[in-house]
Amino acid sequence: MTEPLDQFDRNILDIVQRDCQMKAEAVGEMIGLSASAVQRRLKRMREEGIISAEIAVVDRKVAGNPMTFIAGMEIERENYDALAKFRTWVDKQDHIQQVYYVTGSVDLVAIITAQDVGQYDEITAQIMSQNPQIKRIHTNVVLKSVKLGMFVPTQS
Amino acid sequence: MTEPLDQFDRNILDIVQRDCQMKAEAVGEMIGLSASAVQRRLKRMREEGIISAEIAVVDRKVAGNPMTFIAGMEIERENYDALAKFRTWVDKQDHIQQVYYVTGSVDLVAIITAQDVGQYDEITAQIMSQNPQIKRIHTNVVLKSVKLGMFVPTQS
DNA sequence: ATGCACAACGCGGAATTTGCGCGCAAGCGC
DNA sequence: GCGCTTGCGCGCAAATTCCGCGTTGTGCAT
């Protein structure tokens, strides 16, 4: 289905993961390929889902959500499709950036942005009330975002 | 410095946060603005840093890093610039996607991608050896990424 | 095994099309 | 009336498509 990436693909991904608006010609110069070849490969990787999205990263403070919280949640493990239901629900919650289903003392870890603690409180209240399978929420307040990003290494 | 966003700006950000390759004309149609106006606003928001980056999101599995870990770390709190040093170091570590400095039972929370547990072990070993101020690491293995993204709500 | 013909693939470059980036005059709000 | 921002038009840069070529790999006959 999706055959392995060659070195050119990896180099292209390394670049567009940092700046996806770069001109194909500039990319081609960096990696030793023509502009049309770069565009062909980009198109292919987009179609195959290797590049799943191309997104703008917006400053949290300017957007009015200066605060970040990390919420660890306990869920009913037995009920497996509780997780599926939670997934569809959480997809629509814009303040919940990321959710991971994990091993350990909590079952779910969520990265949540909010305007202030009051709004965060409202969000957690909604999580609890609209998802009875969530038993408890442990909150960590983020004092500083040391590093942010979605970069994935491609070089083996 | 950076005056507040109006409704047009917010609508543009909502769109480009999901797809930053969309044509300005298409964006303009959605929000009721001409293409050139959209481009002007995008340029301004890029220059002001409201849009801090535009990046391609790459599939983790295809990139050869199918596993994700959430690492909670304990650090020497007294030494404040220990955090600054850690920041500069961690910026260069491609496998460490995100790092948050938090309140609670741990001081730092990191999202880390790896090929397998063996590679993750190497990464944590490097963290410990190259950052003596890190005292201990608590690892949570991610069984499933329920939601991923960097979306920030802009509508108040 | 060796040599050859041929199909498949991906490249670079040219031609075409598309979208961007400016200047400008008009319109809206303060 | 004075900003500021919009919409429009034009020139140009970039993306897309098309085409010819070289390389690779496969099958077949020698």
Side-chain angles (χ1 to χ4, degrees):
Chain A
M1 180 101 283
T2 158
E3 63 278 359
L5 309 170
D6 66 10
Q7 195 57 44
F8 285 129
D9 289 331
R10 284 186 228 277
N11 290 339
I12 291 172
L13 289 177
D14 271 6
I15 293 169
V16 295
Q17 276 192 94
R18 295 189 170 86
D19 180 6
C20 68
Q21 302 285 13
M22 186 169 289
K23 317 293 177 193
E25 193 185 349
V27 177
E29 264 180 48
M30 299 175 88
I31 66 172
L33 220 54
S34 74
S36 55
V38 172
Q39 279 159 352
R40 264 193 301 265
R41 284 165 179 270
L42 279 173
K43 184 185 176 189
R44 196 198 69 230
M45 291 192 282
R46 280 192 265 250
E47 286 169 352
E48 291 180 0
I50 296 168
I51 294 174
S52 60
E54 284 159 280
I55 62 171
V57 180
V58 173
D59 185 282
R60 295 166 185 236
K61 289 166 199 122
V62 180
N65 291 278
M67 300 206 67
T68 306
F69 302 86
I70 299 184
M73 312 183 216
E74 296 171 30
I75 196 177
E76 284 291 343
R77 284 257 181 189
E78 304 81 45
N79 192 0
Y80 186 71
D81 64 8
L83 183 60
K85 278 188 178 146
F86 184 68
R87 178 198 283 265
T88 62
W89 180 81
V90 85
D91 266 341
K92 289 176 267 179
Q93 306 303 312
D94 284 349
H95 283 276
I96 305 177
Q97 277 194 344
Q98 302 165 36
V99 179
Y100 301 95
Y101 182 60
V102 301
T103 63
S105 56
V106 295
D107 302 310
L108 291 160
V109 174
I111 311 287
I112 298 176
T113 64
Q115 187 179 338
D116 47 45
V117 288
Q119 192 184 36
Y120 176 73
D121 194 44
E122 289 173 26
I123 294 167
T124 53
Q126 277 196 19
I127 292 174
M128 296 290 280
S129 71
Q130 296 182 31
N131 299 278
Q133 64 272 38
I134 304 288
K135 293 298 172 197
R136 191 159 154 58
I137 300 183
H138 305 262
T139 295
N140 284 36
V141 180
V142 172
L143 303 173
K144 187 182 290 230
S145 295
V146 179
K147 181 174 185 177
L148 291 176
M150 293 260 92
F151 189 88
V152 183
T154 57
Q155 313 288 347
S156 48
Chain B
M1 178 103 283
T2 159
E3 63 280 357
L5 309 170
D6 66 8
Q7 195 57 44
F8 284 130
D9 288 332
R10 285 186 228 275
N11 290 339
I12 292 172
L13 289 177
D14 271 3
I15 293 168
V16 296
Q17 276 193 92
R18 295 189 169 88
D19 180 6
C20 68
Q21 302 284 17
M22 186 168 289
K23 316 298 178 192
E25 192 185 348
V27 176
E29 265 179 48
M30 298 174 90
I31 65 172
L33 220 53
S34 76
S36 55
V38 172
Q39 287 178 108
R40 269 190 296 261
R41 285 165 180 270
L42 279 172
K43 184 187 176 189
R44 196 197 71 231
M45 291 193 280
R46 280 192 265 252
E47 286 169 353
E48 290 180 1
I50 298 168
I51 295 175
S52 60
E54 285 160 278
I55 63 171
V57 180
V58 173
D59 185 283
R60 296 167 186 234
K61 288 168 198 120
V62 180
N65 290 280
M67 299 204 68
T68 306
F69 302 86
I70 299 183
M73 312 183 216
E74 296 172 29
I75 196 177
E76 282 293 341
R77 285 257 182 187
E78 303 84 45
N79 191 0
Y80 187 70
D81 65 8
L83 183 60
K85 278 189 177 144
F86 184 68
R87 180 198 282 265
T88 62
W89 179 82
V90 86
D91 267 340
K92 290 177 267 180
Q93 306 302 313
D94 284 348
H95 283 275
I96 305 178
Q97 279 195 342
Q98 301 165 39
V99 178
Y100 301 95
Y101 182 60
V102 300
T103 64
S105 57
V106 295
D107 303 310
L108 291 161
V109 174
I111 311 287
I112 298 176
T113 63
Q115 189 179 338
D116 47 45
V117 287
Q119 193 185 34
Y120 176 73
D121 194 43
E122 290 174 25
I123 294 166
T124 53
Q126 277 198 17
I127 292 174
M128 295 291 279
S129 71
Q130 297 183 30
N131 300 278
Q133 64 272 39
I134 305 288
K135 294 298 174 196
R136 189 158 155 59
I137 300 182
H138 305 262
T139 295
N140 285 36
V141 181
V142 172
L143 303 173
K144 186 181 292 228
S145 295
V146 179
K147 181 173 184 177
L148 290 177
M150 292 262 91
F151 189 88
V152 182
T154 58
Q155 313 289 348
S156 46

